Amino acid sequence: MSISHFRAGTGAPVVLVHGIGSRWQVFEPILDRLARDNREVIAIDLPGFGATPPVDGVAPGPYGYAAWLASWLAAEGIERPHLVGNSMGGGIGLELGRQGVVASVTAFSPIGFWRAPGLRWTQGLLTAMRGASTVAAPVLERAVETKPGRAALLAPFFGHPTRVDPDTARADVAGLRDATAFAAARAAFAGYTVRPGIDLGGLRDIPVTVAWGTRDVLLTHRTQSARARAALPFATHVDLPGCGHLPFNDDPALCAEVVIDTVARVQEKS
């Protein structure tokens, strides 16, 4: 089966993994910056998202996708990559770090640092956004043509929604609408929590960075980034001023710098 992905550059592999309802193109604003200075960039569509169809036997969610991705990386001959993940992709990255599969983890607003109310809020907001993308698709496609429309529609995901161009906004809405694995992945969130005292495995042995947009309202910055600091005290924690849940369009230079700094910490050790 063909897995939809982007690949560019040469050198140390940097694998980028999107979140629920998203696709590899969410990382487009930082790909060129990362694919320099002896780095190979691989951004993938998870099974059931973007242009990758569902894969038999793969359970959508952080654990199922982590197991699938470890196998896919091995099949592709990609050894000990640097893993960059956003939202659910951040949870996948932390799980692969715990298993000792990756050389470093950079997690942007990773899932799992919620409590019950935060989990319900996240699942509810995602469900509402997907419902709107399905039921009112023609209306939304017209709305993203205007800055006020993008501000209203994309505010749950971007700190600066009006900076998103209309074509990208339409493609993002379509990606959310057409994500066949959405419901199963959303349900799996209930079984994934990162709290102090859990088995962190190999995470303690590699560079880990957790970066959070200060305007993230999907996985609320104030509470969930604080829990991440408590659960992962050995990690580097970075606030992304003015950025939302999908920070790469909000401040691509800063997001790329965070990744590059994490990768460099591995190279400093070797």
Side-chain angles (χ1 to χ4, degrees), residues 123-137:
Q123 290 176 315
L125 182 55
L126 287 169
T127 300
M129 292 297 294
R130 186 162 192 258
S133 71
T134 302
V135 175

Side-chain angles (χ1 to χ4, degrees), residues 36 44 50 67 88 106-107 115 124-125 134 143 151-152 173 175 182 184 187 190-191 216 226 260:
R36 302 173 187 165
I44 67 166
M88 180 175 68
T106 308
R115 291 177 181 164
L125 182 55
T134 302
V173 170
F182 177 89
D216 191 338
I260 292 167

Side-chain angles (χ1 to χ4, degrees), residues 132-268:
S133 71
T134 302
V135 175
V139 175
L140 299 184
E141 288 182 1
R142 291 193 298 271
V144 299
E145 291 292 338
T146 69
K147 284 190 174 182
R150 293 196 298 279
L153 176 62
L154 304 179
F157 300 111
F158 297 93
H160 300 281
T162 60
R163 295 180 186 174
V164 182
D165 71 73
D167 288 341
T168 298
R170 276 191 293 272
D172 286 343
V173 170
L176 177 61
R177 180 192 66 219
D178 298 337
T180 56
F182 177 89
R186 178 194 58 201
F189 284 6
Y192 183 77
T193 304
V194 184
R195 291 182 177 173
I198 68 166
D199 176 16
L200 296 172
L203 276 176
R204 292 186 177 276
D205 302 324
I206 61 174
V208 176
T209 299
V210 178
W212 225 291
T214 60
R215 292 186 181 178
D216 191 338
V217 297
L218 183 64
L219 297 176
T220 311
H221 166 262
R222 183 180 63 83
T223 55
Q224 297 197 33
S225 67
R227 294 190 194 112
R229 292 172 190 268
L232 306 174
F234 54 86
T236 298
H237 294 267
V238 179
D239 287 340
L240 306 173
C243 293
H245 185 66
L246 305 175
F248 315 105
N249 196 86
D250 293 326
D251 195 336
L254 178 56
C255 291
E257 179 184 345
V258 169
V259 175
I260 292 167
D261 286 350
T262 307
V263 172
R265 296 208 306 271
V266 176
Q267 295 170 339
E268 289 168 2

